[in-house]
Amino acid sequence: MAADIVTTNVQPIEEVAFGRADPTSRFEAVFQEHYPRIVAMLARLMGDRAHAEEIAADVFCKLSRRSALSGGDLTAWIYRVATNAGLDAVRSNSRRRRREQQAGVETLRLASPGGALEEMLRAERCARVRAVLATLKPRETQLLLLRANGLSYRELAATLGIQAGSIGTLLARAETEFERKFRARYGEAV
Amino acid sequence: MTECWREGDLRASVDRELSAEELERLGAHLKECHACAARLEEIEDRARRVAECFVDLAEVPAAMVAHRRPSHVWRWAAAAIVAALALAPKGHEVAPLTPAAPPAPAIAIAEAAAPPPARPVHHRKKPRAAATYYLALDNDPIETGFVMRVALEGGMEADVIVDSSGRPRAIRPVNLIHRGER
C-alpha cells in the first residue's frame, strides 16, 4: 500500500538529481543523514512506527532508482514526498486508526484500569493533532513536525530548501494556522 | 524609539535562533515597546501550546503500533492449546499440555464433545483464583473469543482467551497462592 501512496506523490524526474561523481555514495550519505529523521517525522505524523519505516524505505527505494539526478533540492524532495505519503496514509487510514485505537483502549483497560482514562484521552488528543496536521499545507506540517523533532533553523532550512531567515516567519504562521484549524474543527483551544 | 520587530524574528527569538547582538537589540526594543512585548508573549505562548501538542505524538503507545502477524510460535501454541482442550473438555478439569502436542486443526474445537481419551487426567481440583487482568499477546483487537483454562507443565494453570481462528490472544496466570488447596 505504501508503494501506491508514494507512486502518486513522486515528482517529475527532472526535479530531482544526484551528484555527478559517485551517485551511490551520495545516496548512502543522504540515507544515513535523513532516514532516521524521516522515520521519526512520519512516526509522529502517523502514530505508527512500522508504517513510517515502510514509507521512508519506499521513498529511498524510489530515490535510489533515480541515478541521473543532482542538486540541493534533493533533501527537500525526499521530505516532500515522504510527508505527502504520510499525509495520504493519515487520511486514508482513519478507519483503521479508529479500530486500532479501540483495540488500544481495550488492551489498556484490561492491562491497567487506573491509567485507562488518561491513556484514552491522550490517544484522542493525538488523533486530533494528526487530523489537524493533515489539513495544513504540507510545508507547514513538515515544519511543525521537524521542529518538534528538534531540528535547528539552519537544519530546517537545509532540509526543506528554504532560506534560514524565513523559518521564523513560516513557523509562526504554521503555528497560528494549526491553532486556528484546531479551534475551527474541535471548537476548543489546543 | 527603535524599529518594531517582524513576527518571524520574534518567533526566532523564542527558539534562541537570533544572534547575541540581535537578542540584545530586541531586549532594548522590548523595554520601550509594549506592543512588541505583547506580541512576543503571544507568539511565545502559542509556540509552547503547539509544542505541547507534539509531545504526545513522540511516543507511540504500544497498543497502537502497527499490526503484527502472530509468530509461528503462537500458531503452534494455539494448536497445542486447542489439542489440550479437546482432551479435557469439561469445566476446570484440565489435561497436561505437553510441548510436543501435535498441532491440531481449528476444527478440533468442534470435536471437543467427543468422548474423553484414555489419557490420564488430573484430579479434580477446587478452581484456583485467577489474576484479575489479562495480558494481551498482540496488539490486534479481539472481537470474539472464549476463555479456556489450560494446564501448563509444572502444574501451572492459566486462562487463555482464544479467538474464533484458534489464535491465543490474551493470557492470565491462575493465582499460585491457592496452589495445593483442594
Side-chain angles (χ1 to χ4, degrees), chain A residues 14 17 56 66 75 113 160 166 171:
Chain A
E14 55 275 14
R66 296 174 186 273
T75 51
L160 302 177
S166 52
L171 199 51

Side-chain angles (χ1 to χ4, degrees), chain A residues 17-24 26 67-72:
Chain A
F18 274 130
R20 317 107 274 228
D22 187 353
T24 315
R26 168 100 175 99
S67 51
L69 308 171
S70 88

